[in-house]
Amino acid sequence: QVYVTESGGGLVQPGGSLRLSCAASGGISRSSVMAWFRQAPGKEREFVGAAQGGNTVYGDSVKGRFTISRDNTRNTASLQMNNLKPEDTAVYYCAVRSQRIILGAWSRHNEYDYWGQGTQVTVSS
């Protein structure tokens, strides 16, 4: 069993920054994928980014603004969000795939076994 916990959400003004943290405990390893997804009201769950070992992949809407940092020894994955926009407002979820999957599948939310409870990020002036 893997337990996933997010923290760090809140209210921020447009153009500001916020850092989310994700901690996973249980049966994960360096080959496990740790990912971030988000879901805004009335919209489908959207891939934000993911990391495995030293590799990272990002969704098109956040490239160049968001950065994932994975600590393989502590099983954590932080999401640094810069230049935030109102359209980034959503509940952000951390997800873990305990077994290795191909990079092309990292963006598919149904590939992930374990999910955190989510943390709200609101970008508004």
Side-chain angles (χ1 to χ4, degrees):
Q1 182 68 32
V2 176
Y3 298 93
V4 182
T5 306
E6 309 100 334
S7 61
L11 172 65
V12 63
Q13 293 186 343
S17 298
L18 205 60
R19 187 177 182 90
L20 306 183
S21 297
C22 174
S25 61
I28 74 169
S29 66
R30 181 182 175 87
S31 63
S32 301
V33 182
M34 295 185 72
W36 289 94
F37 289 81
R38 67 186 183 185
Q39 190 164 18
K43 295 188 176 181
E44 294 186 354
R45 192 160 295 192
E46 179 186 11
F47 175 70
V48 175
Q52 178 195 55
N55 300 312
T56 54
V57 172
Y58 298 95
D60 289 340
S61 62
V62 306
K63 282 181 183 176
R65 299 188 299 123
F66 291 12
T67 303
I68 294 175
S69 298
R70 170 92 180 255
D71 186 329
N72 294 305
T73 59
R74 298 184 178 184
N75 293 331
T76 60
S78 62
L79 178 66
Q80 177 65 42
M81 305 183 291
N82 298 328
N83 189 23
L84 283 160
K85 305 174 181 181
E87 52 264 41
D88 294 318
T89 296
V91 177
Y92 283 70
Y93 297 90
C94 181
V96 173
R97 163 82 182 201
S98 55
Q99 301 299 317
R100 184 187 298 272
I101 54 173
I102 61 173
L103 190 146
W106 288 12
S107 62
R108 302 173 193 164
H109 65 83
N110 59 353
E111 294 285 354
Y112 291 85
D113 308 299
Y114 305 99
W115 292 80
Q117 78 286 353
T119 185
Q120 176 70 46
V121 171
T122 302
V123 184
S124 175
S125 55

